[in-house]
Amino acid sequence: FANINGSNNVLDPNTFSNLEVGVNYDIADDFSFRAALFEMEGSSPQVADRDPSTLDVIDTETTGFEAELTGFLTDRWFVSAGYTYLDSEQVDRSGPTGLRPRELPEHMFSIWNQYAVNDRLGLGLGLVYQDESFANNSNSAIMPSYTRVDAAVFYKLSDSYRLQLNVENLFDTDYYPHSHSTHQISVG
């Protein structure tokens, strides 16, 4: 990495400017709703699509919405559910380019349930959905949408210790959560 971009010094840090407005409403003592609208401008050096040994500085404009419900539905059942919508585009000095930044899905959804069977034993079950996204900034390679199911079981040994088993991707679904352009895509 000492000479990743030759004489072109584009290893400056990522920069972001964010404007956000939101609401937090307690529906009940143990149940809340949160929502926010936001707009973000960013600039970051990223691996170049045409030559992975170099970097391009990618400028983006993103607007979005997120909402979350969190709390206890009963004395034993805790739920956390969230949704995010992202509308983003790469920009340059002349304005929008029509291209979407890599690894940025339009829709994401998650829900996590935790149920206390008794004072010591608890179970958890969750679902994560992510819309398709691009593996590169030229938008020529797509990472497909996916739905993943996660689970957990935990047992309280004492006031100080808890034993817990987490299983991510319970049904062994193939999915692709991250990419560093088309030359390196992570498999879930």
Side-chain angles (χ1 to χ4, degrees), residues 117-158:
V117 176
N118 56 41
D119 290 342
R120 292 191 178 268
L121 179 65
L123 305 171
L125 184 66
L127 179 134
V128 174
Y129 169 80
Q130 183 169 302
D131 210 0
E132 71 179 19
S133 61
F134 290 105
N136 57 8
N137 285 311
S138 61
N139 293 180
S140 63
I142 295 175
M143 295 188 303
S145 64
Y146 65 87
T147 302
R148 186 187 79 213
V149 176
D150 301 333
V153 60
F154 44 91
Y155 187 79
K156 185 177 178 181
L157 298 172
S158 68

Side-chain angles (χ1 to χ4, degrees), residues 14-36:
N14 296 352
T15 59
F16 296 95
S17 171
N18 186 40
L19 179 63
E20 183 172 343
V21 61
V23 63
N24 183 3
Y25 177 68
D26 291 331
I27 298 168
D29 287 342
D30 292 336
F31 201 74
S32 298
F33 171 75
R34 295 174 193 88

Side-chain angles (χ1 to χ4, degrees), residues 92-110:
D92 60 23
R93 290 184 188 144
S94 62
T97 64
L99 298 173
R100 190 170 182 84
R102 70 177 173 83
E103 290 190 295
L104 197 71
E106 188 173 5
H107 302 278
M108 293 179 289
F109 173 77
S110 67

Side-chain angles (χ1 to χ4, degrees), residues 126-130 144-150 167-177 186-188:
L127 179 134
V128 174
Y129 169 80
Q130 183 169 302
S145 64
Y146 65 87
T147 302
R148 186 187 79 213
V149 176
D150 301 333
V167 180
E168 184 176 287
N169 198 9
L170 183 64
F171 299 119
D172 198 27
T173 301
D174 289 337
Y175 67 99
Y176 307 94
S186 299
V187 178

